[in-house]
Amino acid sequence: MDFIPIDYETLRLIWWALLGTLLIGFAIMGGMDLGMGALLPAVARTDDERRVMLNLQGPTWEGNQVWLVLGGGSIFAAFPPLYAVSFSGFYLAMIVILFALILRPVGFKYRGKITDPRWRSAWDWALFIGGFVPSLIFGVAMGNALLGAPFNLDTTLRPSYLGNFFGLLSPFALLCGLVSLSMLIVMGAVILAARTEGAVAERAARYGQWAAVTAIALFALAGFWIAFGIEGYVITSAIVTDLPSNPLSKEVMREAGAWLNNYGQYPWMMIAPILGFAGMAGAAIGIKARPGALTIISAALGVLGIVATAGLSMFPFLLPSSHNPVASLTVWDATSSHLTLFIMLIATAIFLPIIIAYTSWVYKVMSGPVTNSSLGKNPNAY
């Protein structure tokens, strides 16, 4: 369309980058809360210590979930075929994630209503599930995206999913789940070690250091497995980047080691896995002392690098099809219309900076250590 100042190919690339940014934003911001939830039983061993952890998350966790909502919304509006296949095919996995996430706000609100230790212990375990389960399953989902999902498209582009929930739990997918879990635990641990004191901070630092080392080892193992153990996907026909979306208009083949091809074609992409390793290593070193901003930034860069490595390795694929590779969804054939992408970009350019500014202000206001004494001065504490 002549009146749209940005061509279709560029808009598709912009929305692919925006989707990656939103998912990375959730992995970092939401990962703090998920990681702290997964650490709850190990780090906080008394009621006072658990209250410190809950009140560290309480003021900001809802804002952090905005990144997840924005990511899901962008998939729905910018990549409708991806939304149709993933949200229907992975339906049971999504339900499990949503159920676990719902436990978190309920746990925050109801844990302190009754002083009975059994009541509080039950909600503590609910909060642990709310952190542990999503952290694991998000990684499992990424692993299945790398392997390819068992779906097909008919001639009218109507998707049909041919797998089941337990089929998602392959060894490689579970490995990716453990990478996700360990890196999010690092995010939670560095925040706990930086903003709490005493035994909670010490335990968080210890577990965070082990989680960072584990993340490095598992990330390396996943890379080795991708290089030598699984097949990637390659477009073998001419790549058309500016026509209306039709995933069936291309030819695709599976090829061993194909997910590494982009690093040879675009060497700058190597910065992603380097950041993944370096960021986690920096977090492992920095968390030994009382961590400051540099350690938190290092952990965030590690998460960014690990998530970006998956996205850059798959480009231009969004969700390959293991059943019929031709039906695989890519950046070039699974987007909304040219006009829709442009209108959404304008809305994003207006509202995303507002969200970032508000989030920054909230974290500035809520900065500082959370201790038992500070909770005693706050009548609204959990």
Side-chain angles (χ1 to χ4, degrees):
M1 297 183 182
D2 295 337
F3 65 89
I4 299 178
I6 306 176
D7 62 79
Y8 203 7
E9 176 184 359
T10 302
L11 274 174
R12 282 168 158 163
L13 282 173
I14 289 172
W15 272 102
W16 171 76
L18 276 174
L19 176 60
T21 300
L22 294 172
L23 295 179
I24 290 170
F26 173 69
I28 294 173
M29 305 301 292
M32 298 177 187
D33 302 322
L34 296 177
M36 282 189 273
L39 282 169
L40 182 61
V43 171
R45 299 177 184 176
T46 67
D47 187 66
D48 287 340
E49 291 175 349
R50 289 166 185 158
R51 290 190 64 223
V52 166
M53 288 187 64
L54 297 182
N55 283 278
L56 178 55
Q57 303 174 59
T60 56
W61 76 267
E62 289 175 292
N64 292 338
Q65 300 309 300
V66 169
W67 294 94
L68 178 61
V69 175
L70 291 175
S74 67
I75 293 174
F76 172 78
F79 303 99
L82 176 62
Y83 180 89
V85 173
S86 59
F87 279 67
S88 59
F90 300 158
Y91 183 75
L92 287 178
M94 296 291 181
I95 290 296
V96 172
I97 290 175
L98 289 175
F99 176 76
L101 291 176
I102 289 170
L103 289 175
R104 298 172 68 233
V106 179
F108 283 132
K109 297 297 183 183
Y110 282 90
R111 181 188 183 275
K113 298 295 184 182
I114 300 175
T115 58
D116 185 345
R118 292 173 298 178
W119 170 267
R120 294 192 171 187
S121 177
W123 284 115
D124 289 338
W125 282 107
L127 290 166
F128 164 74
I129 292 170
F132 180 90
V133 171
S135 299
L136 182 69
I137 295 185
F138 282 133
V140 169
M142 190 68 251
N144 278 281
L146 287 162
L147 291 170
F151 71 92
N152 198 12
L153 301 174
D154 63 18
T155 54
T156 65
L157 302 184
R158 183 175 58 183
S160 57
Y161 187 79
L162 307 172
N164 57 68
F165 174 78
F166 294 101
L168 301 176
L169 305 178
S170 66
F172 177 77
L174 289 172
L175 172 62
C176 292
L178 293 175
V179 172
S180 173
L181 176 63
S182 58
M183 75 177 186
L184 297 188
I185 285 177
V186 174
M187 279 306 310
V190 294
I191 298 299
L192 282 169
R195 295 192 56 197
T196 62
E197 298 175 352
V200 171
E202 293 173 3
R203 295 187 197 114
R206 183 167 66 251
Y207 285 110
Q209 189 173 32
W210 280 107
V213 173
T214 301
I216 292 171
L218 294 178
F219 185 42
L221 178 58
F224 184 84
W225 201 327
I226 286 171
F228 302 105
I230 67 173
E231 293 180 326
Y233 293 75
V234 180
I235 299 175
T236 56
S237 59
I239 299 177
V240 181
T241 61
D242 57 357
L243 291 181
S245 293
N246 181 4
L248 299 179
S249 62
K250 62 183 180 303
E251 296 294 329
V252 178
M253 65 175 290
R254 300 174 68 170
E255 182 181 287
W259 290 143
L260 301 182
N261 291 348
N262 282 343
Y263 298 101
Q265 189 172 359
Y266 309 104
W268 62 267
M269 289 186 178
M270 283 299 298
I271 193 172
I274 291 172
L275 272 180
F277 286 116
M280 287 293 130
I285 295 170
I287 203 172
K288 292 177 68 176
R290 184 175 178 85
L294 284 178
T295 304
I296 296 173
I297 292 172
S298 183
L301 289 176
V303 172
L304 182 155
I306 291 172
V307 178
T309 295
L312 292 172
S313 298
M314 292 179 62
F315 181 82
F317 288 91
L318 298 170
L319 186 64
S321 170
S322 59
H323 177 77
N324 178 16
V326 171
S328 299
L329 306 178
T330 75
V331 174
W332 312 124
D333 57 28
T335 65
S336 296
S337 69
H338 192 180
L339 179 60
T340 300
L341 294 182
F342 180 68
I343 293 173
M344 287 173 53
L345 183 62
I346 294 174
T348 302
I350 295 171
F351 291 106
L352 187 58
I354 296 174
I355 292 171
I356 293 173
Y358 176 74
T359 301
S360 301
W361 176 77
V362 168
Y363 270 91
K364 182 179 180 180
V365 171
M366 298 296 177
S367 63
V370 178
T371 64
N372 286 324
S373 59
S374 66
L375 297 184
K377 302 173 184 178
N378 183 2
N380 298 314
Y382 293 114

